Amino acid sequence: MVGAAAWHATIALVPPTPPAELASASVTEFTERLASSAPVPGGGSASALVGAFGAALAVMVGRLSADRPRYAEHAATHERVVWGAEEARRRLLELADEDAVAYGRFADAARLPREPEAARAEREQALREAAREATFVPLETLRQCQEAARMVQALAGRSNVNAASDLNVAAHLLAAAAAGAAANVRINLPSLGDPAEAERIEQQVADLTAAVERDVAATHAATAAGPRSPEAGA
């Protein structure tokens, strides 16, 4: 087993993966890169981008509801959601890039030599370190999706009724993004080389996924029911 410094020296033996810079790409450019035979960007970056779309719709609905007399009693909710969902949107765009870079580093580690025995040990250590990054980036994507789904749910029944369908779309997008992020976390857990840590992360994934599903279901139910009165903490 080698330390972090040795791992970075080992990774330097293979060509570095360039920054993805997906957040600044146009939708056309992103989808063209996604449709190419290159492994990066992949499902993790796509999940983060879809989550950013969902969060952006939440911001839009919040802004369409703010400063309107009909929804004045929910003004504090609108302000909180616009700020919180915008933060999630920006972070999810960053995570689209981070996921591509993380997977690229894992792929770089996988290309390291397996022989002789010392090289194999370095490769295994490099893979474990890269797997951690490839696990924690989509885990953060899942967290941001959960936060955005919470913002969406807060608006349901407390926002512009003309944008109810947009709020439902936001919920659908965040549900899909969260499911994709969870899948990307889980596929990397066996590569961590630490069953106890993998179990802890799996529990986090289960908890976050359940929270997203609850908020999404509540959003659909509330928008179908129509406007409601303010609630504590809304």
Side-chain angles (χ1 to χ4, degrees):
M1 184 174 293
V2 294
W7 171 63
H8 287 296
T10 302
I11 290 295
L13 296 175
V14 295
T17 301
E21 297 181 354
L22 299 172
S24 60
S26 69
V27 173
T28 298
E29 291 168 341
F30 182 90
T31 54
E32 286 176 349
R33 292 173 67 175
L34 199 62
S36 75
S37 60
V40 174
S45 295
S47 296
L49 186 63
V50 168
F53 286 157
L57 280 172
V59 176
M60 182 193 78
V61 174
R63 286 174 171 159
L64 286 173
S65 307
D67 300 324
R68 298 203 176 194
R70 180 177 178 181
Y71 311 105
E73 61 186 347
H74 304 299
T77 296
H78 304 153
E79 182 179 358
R80 176 171 61 86
V81 168
V82 167
W83 184 87
E86 176 63 12
E87 286 295 303
R89 182 192 70 82
R90 293 181 181 180
R91 183 69 184 114
L92 284 161
L93 286 178
E94 293 173 349
L95 286 162
D97 279 325
E98 291 177 21
D99 193 277
V101 172
Y103 182 82
R105 288 174 178 165
F106 187 85
D108 291 344
R111 289 195 295 268
L112 291 170
R114 299 171 185 263
E115 299 295 339
E117 186 174 346
R120 184 186 306 115
E122 290 179 348
R123 178 180 181 275
E124 290 175 355
Q125 175 67 5
L127 281 170
R128 282 192 291 271
E129 294 291 342
R132 288 182 63 81
E133 185 177 6
T135 298
F136 287 122
V137 171
L139 182 60
E140 176 64 13
T141 296
L142 179 53
R143 289 194 185 99
Q144 293 298 324
C145 287
Q146 189 273 323
E147 178 63 16
R150 190 170 68 86
M151 297 291 101
V152 169
Q153 191 277 329
L155 286 175
R158 304 184 183 96
S159 56
N160 194 323
V161 294
N162 295 319
S165 62
D166 298 294
L167 209 56
N168 275 316
V169 170
H172 282 302
L173 291 175
L174 288 164
N184 275 273
V185 173
R186 287 175 168 136
I187 201 170
N188 287 303
L189 292 180
S191 299
L192 294 178
D194 186 338
E197 182 177 30
E199 185 176 352
R200 288 193 298 272
I201 294 172
E202 171 60 39
Q203 186 58 57
Q204 292 179 54
V205 171
D207 292 344
L208 288 165
T209 300
V212 171
E213 290 172 350
R214 286 194 300 270
D215 285 336
V216 167
T219 296
H220 295 322
T223 53
R228 55 180 169 168
S229 299
E231 296 178 2

